[in-house]
Amino acid sequence: MSFIGFLLLGLIAGAIAKAILPGTQGGGWFVTLLLGVVGAVLGGWLGSLLFGVGIGDFFQLSSWLLAIAGSIIVLLIYGAVVNRRHTA
């Protein structure tokens, strides 16, 4: 997958993850892009480690599912860190 395709996958996966999780997460489109790209990397790594399937082609369903799942994990961690800062 090309670098631009990977960024687009991360941006869309991050936006879908923000739409799936309840509540209001901070950050604009750039934070969504960063969380989505990190989530896609995490999802690809976990997918290859657990299932033997990583991030492949842009149009593969497994790539999208792994990227969205990784983005949800990263968004949950991000939300826990940001909320901890505001309450401390």
Side-chain angles (χ1 to χ4, degrees):
M1 178 180 320
S2 71
F3 182 71
I4 300 295
F6 193 74
L7 288 178
L8 184 62
L9 174 71
L11 179 64
I12 296 171
I16 291 172
K18 277 190 169 185
I20 289 173
L21 289 177
T24 57
Q25 295 86 19
W29 68 270
F30 188 71
V31 173
T32 303
L33 173 68
L34 288 178
L35 293 175
V37 168
V38 171
V41 170
L42 177 68
W45 179 73
L46 287 174
S48 64
L49 185 68
L50 298 174
F51 307 115
V53 177
I55 301 286
D57 191 31
F58 183 80
F59 294 105
Q60 286 181 337
L61 181 61
S62 62
S63 295
W64 284 95
L65 293 176
L66 288 172
I68 293 169
S71 296
I72 289 173
I73 292 170
V74 170
L75 192 59
L76 287 171
I77 294 170
Y78 173 76
V81 169
V82 169
N83 285 339
R84 181 177 295 169
R85 283 187 193 161
H86 289 297
T87 59

